[in-house]
Amino acid sequence: MEIFLDSFFNFQIMSEASPLLIRGLGTTALLCLVVIPLGLIGGLTVALMALSRSPWLRWGTIALIDFFRAVPPLVLLIFIYSGLPFADIELSPFTAVCVGFFLNNSAYYAEIYRAGIESVGVGQMEAARSTGLKKIQALVYVVLPQATRNVLPDLLSNTIEVVKLTSIASVVALQELLYSADMARSVTYNSSPIVMAAGIYLLILWPVVRMLSNLEHKVGK
Amino acid sequence: MDTPQPILEAQDLRKSFGTLEVLQGINFSLLPQEMVFLIGPSGSGKSTLLRCFNRLEEPTGGKIIFDGVDLMSPDVNINTMRQQIGMVFQQFNLYPHLSVTKNITLALRKVSKKDSSEADEIAREMLKRVGLEEKANAHPDELSGGQQQRVAIARAMALEPKVMLFDEPTSALDPELVGSVLQVMQKLRDSGMTMVVVSHEMRFARDAADRVAFMSEGQIVEEGEPGAIFENPQQKRTQDFVSEISR
Amino acid sequence: MNTSETFSRWDLFTETFFNQRLIDEYSGAIAKGILITCEIAVLVVFTGIALGLLLAMLRSYRFLPINVFISCFVDILRSLPPLVLILLAYFGLPSIGFSMSGFLVLWLVLSLILAAFAEEIFWAGILSIRRGQWEAARSTGLGHTQTIVYVIIPQAIRMTVAPLTNRTIAITKNTALGTVIGVGEILNQASTAQSFSGNATPLMMGAIAYIVLFIPVVAIGRWIETRFAWRRI
């Protein structure tokens, strides 16, 4: 038991590592603030392309979505970070992560938006157009609000996944929360900093996961 | 000659949902081969009483004696007892993923441990009795409501129950389909099955029942032969109800 | 613009990303990586879904202490990034005497995560079955376990197929995280080869391997989604 506590809940080490972890948390937060809005905007754009009337654009977009859904995000990230420099495209870890996440998240958010928009009947669009709204106005004021509400649980669920996914940025040496914790672990030969990082993720995400669960059950009824 | 022993008996049966007392001390007994109708306004507790008889609803007090066994006793294997108390539901509740035959044979195979050829034979026999032999391999969604309910009756009969409980068996049916279900129930009654029926089919109650029990606000207010209850009710609440429905 | 310059740029590009010599040299390693990725993926899918189903069935008994445990298990595994759990299990457990290979850690962690998500999906499916189905089964004498096995689960499965497929694909792709703890899956083979050769070709091979492996899976997932058209709305 004592060994267990010493290996995983060593408060001495935790408190020593905490400045590092807090700085890491700051980077994680910054990363989220950039990649989540970027993914939402990208996803919406891609969804509208996937619902286009032109079959070329439609199928091209769907192929692109499936392409980025098939590539594991870490593979994409490593390719961007250490593959592209061979083509003289050198990106900082932060930029590389943002580009990788933008490509990956846009595909996932796009699928959700697409389902949402499809769930709103054509009658809504027709009704809005019949009152003289332009297509874009009908979309923004009538269709999208309903679509977003219909897929809110999925949007939230995917956003949780994005926040969790930022941890893979540690692999390309971006000093976010997990990277800082792992650095502290390798210096101290003790896993407590990782437990602490886990605790921080739990603190942030558990309430959101709970909320999502309730939302899903409410929507399900 | 002895007076016959009741097959099913409720003694001071009580059931509350939170603070709401739905059954307020029911005493009721059912003789073998008897057909009893429970009637009364909605919310009077008749369905709850019926569902207490096989403990789909757990009573909060009192006793249920079935065939001499106290169903509330902790030693009772309720699943074995339930095989002897058939139940037919308002919404039929056929299993949508199973064929008609499999609907009937599931409990025969899994609880009575009959082998499948024997179970299939029983299913065929039961379907013949409800007039649906040709639907043996159909799935529930290919049947009309009336046919579904007859399969549900066959499913309950297949276990050779000593008593059958009917919970508003025709309420979910289109009017033109009610007749076929009542016909099957009449046949069942003629064969000597003991039955308790919660139903709004007053004409059927008058024609077929041995006894009618009128419930209101969680109590059995009055019971007797259908003629007596419908033509000459003694209690004020029964009179109101009877005049309401015969209008 | 003169043609020889364009030609040499193109040459440089193929030289860097599609170098024939390196393709020959490392195709064996990548093939080995594909095999390991597939092995872990199949193991994770089976153990994860089986455990998730078992937990959802346990939950249906509505025994409070067990349900609190299951809820916490599910919430925690849905909240934590997989990489955190992988690092914790790989570097932390040896200090209390549980030494596991990277392969085993990856299998265990991803299975538990899939189990958590699968449990939620199965449980939602179980809750969606009308009460009358339970009552009909119980009234014919079937016990709780028999009811759930023969009546409830077969009906619930239909509506779990689509979300479960998508979630399973997402979690299976996390096999790439194994590279961090030295599991010789595709990404690991590719990055090792890249640092040996100082060329992006192996990485390109790895990326292509993933695409060849997962595009059909994603396409099947899309087909299943329309086939079992089920939306949560």
Side-chain angles (χ1 to χ4, degrees):
Chain A
M1 188 64 195
E2 208 165 301
I3 293 181
F4 176 79
L5 286 180
D6 188 58
S7 317
F8 293 106
F9 295 94
N10 189 321
F11 290 112
Q12 168 97 36
I13 289 177
M14 282 188 184
S15 73
E16 281 169 17
S18 57
L20 190 64
L21 261 69
I22 287 169
R23 215 168 326 131
L25 179 61
T27 307
T28 294
L30 182 66
L31 198 54
C32 289
L33 284 179
V34 175
V35 297
I36 293 171
L38 221 53
L40 284 167
I41 295 167
L44 184 55
T45 314
V46 175
L48 293 175
M49 283 159 60
L51 290 166
S52 143
R53 238 182 257 146
S54 142
W56 286 105
L57 187 56
R58 197 167 62 231
W59 288 109
T61 311
I62 287 177
L64 211 61
I65 292 176
D66 279 1
F67 179 85
F68 283 109
R69 289 204 308 171
V71 182
L74 185 58
V75 176
L76 186 62
L77 181 57
I78 289 189
F79 191 85
I80 292 171
Y81 182 68
S82 45
L84 289 189
F86 288 99
D88 282 337
I89 304 173
E90 214 143 340
L91 302 174
S92 74
F94 194 87
T95 320
V97 171
C98 288
V99 171
F101 271 55
F102 175 70
L103 296 173
N104 177 65
N105 293 347
S106 298
Y108 277 93
Y109 278 124
E111 274 301 281
I112 298 171
Y113 272 123
R114 200 169 67 96
I117 293 170
E118 280 178 344
S119 76
V120 179
V122 281
Q124 291 294 315
M125 182 53 120
E126 286 169 357
R129 295 302 297 279
S130 77
T131 62
L133 291 183
K134 283 193 224 116
K135 192 168 182 189
I136 183 81
Q137 290 173 316
L139 201 63
V140 171
Y141 297 117
V142 179
V143 177
L144 285 183
Q146 300 181 58
T148 309
R149 204 193 44 211
N150 287 349
V151 291
L152 203 58
D154 301 81
L155 285 174
L156 187 58
S157 160
N158 196 54
T159 305
I160 293 173
E161 293 304 309
V162 173
V163 175
K164 285 157 60 179
L165 198 60
T166 57
S167 64
I168 68 168
S170 61
V171 180
V172 296
L174 180 64
Q175 304 188 3
E176 45 70 75
L177 181 55
L178 184 58
Y179 184 87
S180 312
D182 198 43
M183 207 159 80
R185 176 198 63 77
S186 58
V187 172
T188 60
Y189 294 106
N190 186 295
S191 293
S192 301
I194 300 202
V195 172
M196 194 174 166
I200 295 173
Y201 280 114
L202 274 184
L203 211 61
I204 297 168
L205 290 178
W206 195 336
V208 190
V209 165
R210 214 57 323 264
M211 195 170 85
L212 175 66
S213 250
N214 293 337
L215 199 63
E216 277 170 340
H217 289 181
K218 205 165 75 193
V219 171
K221 273 187 187 135
Chain B
M1 193 174 136
D2 296 333
T3 43
Q5 284 295 309
I7 179 89
L8 180 68
E9 219 177 334
Q11 296 174 358
D12 192 32
L13 198 66
R14 290 172 187 279
K15 171 72 186 177
S16 310
F17 293 107
T19 54
L20 184 70
E21 201 171 20
V22 187
L23 298 180
Q24 307 176 358
I26 300 279
N27 290 297
F28 175 84
S29 70
L30 180 71
L31 298 177
Q33 306 210 337
E34 215 183 2
M35 183 191 209
V36 176
F37 263 68
L38 297 177
I39 62 169
S42 59
S44 57
K46 48 195 195 312
S47 277
T48 307
L49 175 60
L50 195 75
R51 293 154 58 85
C52 279
F53 287 151
N54 65 353
R55 275 180 60 194
L56 273 188
E57 217 66 82
E58 285 294 339
T60 31
K63 270 186 174 177
I64 307 161
I65 316 283
F66 173 75
D67 205 15
V69 179
D70 178 1
L71 287 192
M72 303 301 291
S73 144
D75 318 325
V76 161
N77 179 345
I78 190 66
N79 293 331
T80 327
M81 301 312 286
R82 278 178 180 154
Q83 291 228 301
Q84 305 174 45
I85 309 173
M87 187 158 202
V88 176
F89 301 85
Q90 180 177 358
Q91 298 294 341
F92 334 132
N93 297 341
L94 293 185
Y95 312 132
H97 62 300
L98 298 179
S99 71
V100 163
T101 300
K102 289 256 163 61
N103 259 278
I104 297 173
T105 57
L106 181 65
L108 288 171
R109 286 179 292 131
K110 301 301 173 188
V111 189
S112 316
K113 306 286 178 201
K114 293 196 190 316
D115 61 49
S116 34
S117 64
E118 191 184 352
D120 285 352
E121 187 49 48
I122 295 173
R124 214 173 357 256
E125 176 59 30
M126 292 304 142
L127 284 174
K128 199 153 98 188
R129 283 169 65 179
V130 299
L132 288 172
E133 289 160 283
E134 76 283 5
K135 299 290 187 191
N137 296 316
H139 270 73
D141 57 5
E142 301 164 43
L143 304 180
S144 73
Q147 291 172 329
Q148 288 193 45
Q149 191 62 299
R150 280 146 68 196
V151 173
I153 294 174
R155 176 172 71 183
M157 277 161 49
L159 299 165
E160 297 180 340
K162 293 180 176 155
V163 171
M164 280 181 72
L165 310 174
F166 290 81
D167 189 3
E168 308 208 17
T170 55
S171 305
L173 296 176
D174 293 335
E176 71 272 18
L177 300 174
V178 169
S180 65
V181 171
L182 293 184
Q183 225 172 2
V184 168
M185 289 172 68
Q186 179 71 53
K187 254 175 80 182
L188 203 57
R189 194 241 171 306
D190 295 342
S191 73
M193 178 58 77
T194 312
M195 298 156 82
V196 184
V197 184
V198 169
S199 173
H200 296 292
E201 298 292 333
M202 294 306 159
R203 185 193 301 267
F204 185 54
R206 203 178 307 213
D207 294 345
D210 296 298
R211 185 151 56 95
V212 174
F214 172 73
M215 285 185 71
S216 175
E217 291 167 16
Q219 291 163 329
I220 293 181
V221 177
E222 190 171 353
E223 54 184 320
E225 286 182 7
I229 297 290
F230 289 118
E231 317 302 342
N232 189 19
Q234 302 299 307
Q235 302 288 329
K236 172 83 171 62
R237 280 187 282 181
T238 322
Q239 290 162 2
D240 291 346
F241 180 74
V242 168
S243 71
E244 179 73 23
I245 55 166
S246 52
R247 242 191 298 153
Chain C
M1 177 143 321
N2 87 37
T3 39
S4 76
E5 196 189 321
T6 347
F7 182 71
S8 72
R9 282 193 70 115
W10 174 248
D11 248 10
L12 190 66
F13 176 76
T14 50
E15 177 69 27
T16 315
F17 287 96
F18 297 96
N19 185 315
Q20 190 57 47
R21 188 178 55 79
L22 293 175
I23 292 178
D24 293 343
E25 189 176 341
Y26 289 111
S27 53
I30 299 287
K32 194 172 152 228
I34 292 177
L35 195 68
I36 294 179
T37 295
C38 290
E39 264 173 32
I40 300 180
V42 169
L43 285 172
V44 166
V45 169
F46 276 104
T47 45
I49 291 180
L51 184 60
L53 183 59
L54 190 74
L55 287 174
M57 285 168 67
L58 265 179
R59 195 168 176 182
S60 72
Y61 285 87
R62 296 178 190 272
F63 180 60
L64 191 64
I66 288 186
N67 283 14
V68 169
F69 169 79
I70 294 177
S71 284
C72 287
F73 168 81
V74 168
D75 281 5
I76 290 173
L77 283 148
R78 281 175 71 177
S79 305
L80 285 179
L83 195 52
V84 171
L85 287 165
I86 288 171
L87 294 182
L88 208 53
Y90 189 70
F91 293 112
L93 290 184
S95 55
I96 55 167
F98 290 107
S99 225
M100 281 188 284
S101 69
F103 186 95
L104 215 56
V105 165
L106 193 59
W107 176 16
L108 181 77
V109 169
L110 295 185
S111 295
L112 290 178
I113 292 173
L114 179 55
F117 280 98
E119 192 280 337
E120 275 295 286
I121 293 169
F122 282 125
W123 180 238
I126 290 173
L127 286 183
S128 72
I129 303 301
R130 293 204 332 270
R131 213 166 79 118
Q133 291 294 314
W134 285 94
E135 293 181 342
R138 297 309 299 274
S139 79
T140 59
L142 293 174
H144 182 100
T145 309
Q146 288 175 317
T147 302
I148 195 146
V149 170
Y150 298 115
V151 177
I152 305 300
I153 294 287
Q155 298 181 57
I157 287 288
R158 263 194 81 80
M159 49 195 77
T160 60
V161 170
L164 196 59
T165 310
N166 282 335
R167 188 55 74 181
T168 303
I169 295 170
I171 290 170
T172 319
K173 285 191 308 184
N174 281 334
T175 49
L177 296 180
T179 188
V180 178
I181 52 170
V183 180
E185 44 69 62
I186 302 171
L187 181 59
N188 188 264
Q189 304 283 0
S191 4
T192 311
Q194 175 189 262
S195 46
F196 269 121
S197 62
N199 184 290
T201 302
L203 210 50
M204 183 60 99
M205 290 165 71
I208 291 173
Y210 273 108
I211 290 162
V212 169
L213 219 54
F214 278 102
I215 284 256
V217 181
V218 170
I220 290 170
R222 195 179 272 288
W223 177 78
I224 285 177
E225 208 163 48
T226 43
R227 169 80 175 64
F228 290 82
W230 180 82
R231 300 246 182 258
R232 233 183 337 220
I233 3 162

